[in-house]
Every structure is written in C-alpha cells, then in structure tokens.
Amino acid sequence: MSSKTDRRAKEILRLLLHQGKTSIEELTSVMGTSPASVRRDLVRLEERGLVHRTHGGAMLAEQAVYEPFRFDASFQVREDRFAAEKQRIARAAAALVQENETIGFAAGTTTTLVARQLLHRRNISIVTNAVNIGMELSSSTRLQTTLTGGNLRWAGAFSLVGPLAIESLALVVMDRLFLSATGVDAKHGVTLIQPDEAAVFRALARQARQIVVVADSSKVGSVSPAVVCQPKQIDLLITDNGISEEAAAAFSAAGVKVLAV
C-alpha cells in the first residue's frame, strides 16, 4: 500500500475501534476523500479479515480481538507483499492439518496466514513463538494454543527469542511445523537475517516430525546469514507458481518435495 492508503486504513480502523461501525458517507467526510477510494480501502481491509463491509458502510470484524499489532505498518507492508500468492500458499498448507495434531508455527507473515486458516477448526494444538499468532488464535475456544515464552527484540516482528523460548520447546513434539523464511535455497536451505531468531526456529525444527516451509517465490534462491535447516531436513516446500522450473528441479534433486500453487 502507498503511505496515503496506509494512513487511511489506520484511520478507518481507529474510527471502527471507537464506535464499532461507520458509513461510507462518514468516512468520506472524515478523511476528505472520494467514496470510490473509501470503498477500495474497505475491500482491502475486509480481505485482511479486519472489517466486514455492510450496505453503505462497514463494521469491525468480530475476530479482531487484539488490535495494536494491526496498526504496525512494517508488518502490514510485509503481509501485503505477494498477498495473493501467500493466501494460496496458506490455504494449501492449512489443508494438510488434521484433527488431533500438534502444529508448530514459526513467526512470519505467511505462517500467520496459515494459522488464520485454522481459526474455525477444532481439536488442534498449536505451538508458536509468534505473539500475534497466539493472540489471533486466542479467539477460538476449539484450539489449544501455547506460546514459547522468550524476549521480544524487534519492533513489528512479534517473534519470541532467547534461551527461554528454546528451552520450552524441548518439552513438546509437533506433528508438523510450518516454517517461514527470509530465504530458501536448494543448496543452503532455510535462512533468516537474525541469528537469535534462527536459533528458535532450529529448536522448533528439532521437535517436529515434518517440516513444511511456506515461502512465496520471491524468497526462493535467496540466502540470508543465519541458517535454520539444511535442504535434507525439509519435507515439503509450499510456494507459488512463480517458482522457476530450474529452482523446482534443484529442490527435487535435493530431496525436497515442492508444491507450487
């Protein structure tokens, strides 16, 4: 989103948090913009699950139980990159989850989208180091969600790191881990920028029976400094259909199953 669109979105959400619902006429007057622009803003916010559009206006989405992180521009910017591709990846990833499984989520925008797909499922245990995922899933009484504990070191990351996060993971075993990445490469595997975050992701990976990497094709072939896991540890890479044939073949040669959606 442009900075102007981002400011309008924040203003709409603040108004809805204050009064619960609004009209296009009111938003047009408050923000000094056209009805067409307001409607486009509401469509974008509804696609994120933040509002429900109504006849002539909008109301706050019922599941928006924890709002502060939704005003974090850096998270929203990252979430908006390759948004359609990430949604397809999230749906394909969530389809793997079965009732009575224990599922791990590493912090990240794509893993957040996968977690949202489980909101209306039941009898699934969730383990995550992502504060925002924990708060979003807290609105469901049919899921059991556990946060690792740890320190929050970077604004907008919502990723718990440090010894407490790592030590707590020794007490759980996960059927499946959904792993995000800054880069995923057929030679170097999954990598991140921050070594402390990579250490927690490695601890998650050690405790998972299956490792599923969810990453849009812009991450494929990229390599960052901190290694999370080698290609041979990845059971499945779910990406979008923008992945090149060469890259897909390289992962297959490394023993990684690739699902492009």
Side-chain angles (χ1 to χ4, degrees), residues 33-102:
T33 190
S34 69
S37 293
V38 168
R39 289 189 183 94
R40 287 193 293 270
D41 293 337
L42 293 177
V43 168
R44 294 187 188 99
L45 290 169
E46 187 174 58
E47 287 174 348
R48 291 183 190 169
L50 302 179
V51 306
H52 291 311
R53 285 185 297 157
T54 61
H55 180 68
M59 60 188 295
L60 197 64
E62 292 178 4
Q63 69 267 33
V65 295
Y66 180 66
E67 297 303 327
F69 85 90
R70 299 184 186 276
F71 298 137
D72 184 87
S74 64
F75 188 85
Q76 289 186 346
V77 167
R78 285 181 282 126
E79 195 174 46
D80 283 344
R81 293 186 190 127
F82 296 89
E85 290 84 353
K86 289 178 179 179
Q87 288 288 355
R88 296 200 303 271
I89 292 167
R91 286 192 292 269
L96 300 174
V97 178
Q98 304 296 313
E99 195 167 317
N100 298 316
E101 285 188 333
T102 298

Side-chain angles (χ1 to χ4, degrees), residues 106-107 128-131 147-155 157-169 192-204:
T128 184
N129 78 313
V131 172
L147 288 166
T148 61
N151 299 322
L152 285 167
R153 286 198 189 147
W154 309 288
F158 311 113
S159 188
L160 292 163
V161 299
L164 183 59
I166 293 170
E167 291 170 14
S168 68
L169 288 166
L192 297 175
I193 295 173
Q194 297 289 350
D196 288 348
E197 188 172 43
V200 177
F201 282 26
R202 286 196 298 272
L204 281 161

Side-chain angles (χ1 to χ4, degrees), residues 222-261:
S222 297
V223 179
S224 291
V227 175
V228 175
C229 65
Q230 298 295 324
K232 64 182 180 181
Q233 296 172 269
I234 303 170
D235 295 291
L236 175 63
L237 167 63
I238 305 179
T239 187
D240 62 79
N241 54 21
I243 187 173
S244 68
E245 291 183 6
E246 293 79 8
F251 279 107
S252 295
V256 179
K257 182 180 179 181
V258 178
L259 174 60
V261 295

